[in-house]
Amino acid sequence: MSAAPTIALPDPAAWTVEQRVDYLAEGQARFAQPVSHALYEDPKVRAEIRRIGFLNGCKLVKQARKDVLDAHFPQLKTGYAAAIRKTVDENMLKTTRFLSFNASPLMSASFRLRREAERSMASEFATIRVELPKRFFELSGALPTNNDPAANRIKPKTDVAGALGITGDYDLDNAGYLGLACAEAMIDPKIRPQISGGSQ
């Protein structure tokens, strides 16, 4: 019987700066923060989520986002790589250790990075913002109306409610709350972080 293959974990300590930039740009491109919540900000999309039911709506937002961002991935990755080179301190890219590598170099430059990405990829982001709802409605059109009132009554977890001061259900017409509720619904409970300031 042959031994199981060894899985090589990424080791940024051995990477060049360009490899580090490439790795970080790929992560940014898959999420594309400035456009990732565009669907929740659209009142027609929020109404459609309520029509088909919250959980179905969250799943379709995730699928529509994946489909559209995947189609734009090469351009987004190139744009983010350029933005990271321009805004993130090169010494930090060289010296950050693996456990904090995904977060700390970008956290220190998060505002500058976002502003530069929005400036340099304005045309790409504008196209994505048009394509996201189009793709969402292509997917949602096949689903029937969910007439169960419980399908759209979503309570936040205790720690979230405590941190945000929410005393009842999420307001699903609030884009920020809807995005948070969907993120909470989609995340694996085993890796869900505890919100600081809330209660157990």
Side-chain angles (χ1 to χ4, degrees):
M1 181 180 289
S2 60
T6 302
I7 298 173
L9 295 175
D11 179 16
W15 292 351
T16 65
V17 168
E18 282 306 304
Q19 286 174 306
R20 290 165 180 246
V21 168
D22 184 76
Y23 176 82
L24 292 172
E26 181 169 325
Q28 292 294 297
R30 295 212 180 277
F31 186 60
Q33 186 177 8
V35 291
S36 64
H37 287 279
L39 286 171
Y40 300 130
E41 294 160 4
D42 185 331
K44 293 179 181 176
V45 170
R46 294 198 300 271
E48 182 72 350
I49 290 172
R50 288 193 299 274
R51 182 189 76 78
I52 62 179
F54 165 77
L55 195 54
N56 282 333
C58 292
K59 290 175 181 175
L60 294 195
V61 164
K62 183 178 180 180
Q63 187 61 52
R65 183 187 290 158
K66 180 181 185 307
D67 292 347
V68 173
L69 294 185
D70 281 356
H72 290 264
F73 179 76
Q75 298 91 334
L76 289 170
K77 184 178 176 183
T78 298
Y80 272 112
I84 289 168
R85 287 188 202 99
K86 186 169 183 177
T87 60
V88 179
D89 178 69
E90 184 173 323
N91 190 55
M92 183 169 282
L93 286 171
K94 288 178 180 176
T95 59
T96 304
R97 295 185 177 185
F98 177 68
L99 290 178
S100 57
F101 185 68
N102 285 304
S104 60
L106 300 188
M107 284 291 287
S108 65
S110 60
F111 175 75
R112 295 191 308 277
L113 176 59
R114 178 171 178 142
R115 186 173 58 186
E116 177 60 23
E118 289 176 332
R119 183 199 66 75
S120 62
M121 292 188 283
S123 176
E124 197 78 30
F125 285 163
T127 301
I128 291 170
R129 286 186 176 103
V130 171
E131 292 177 1
L132 279 170
K134 181 180 177 184
R135 180 58 181 151
F136 173 81
F137 284 110
E138 286 173 355
L139 295 167
S140 71
L143 295 185
T145 297
N146 188 331
N147 292 312
D148 180 3
N152 291 311
R153 286 204 298 263
I154 312 302
K155 288 194 177 301
K157 295 287 193 295
T158 305
D159 59 325
V160 174
L164 299 180
I166 301 173
T167 56
D169 297 336
Y170 275 117
D171 175 5
L172 299 185
D173 201 43
N174 177 310
Y177 282 174
L178 178 57
L180 181 59
C182 279
E184 193 171 76
M186 296 289 102
I187 195 169
D188 182 336
K190 295 179 204 168
I191 61 171
R192 179 187 178 275
Q194 188 76 18
I195 304 297
S196 177
S199 56
Q200 297 288 341

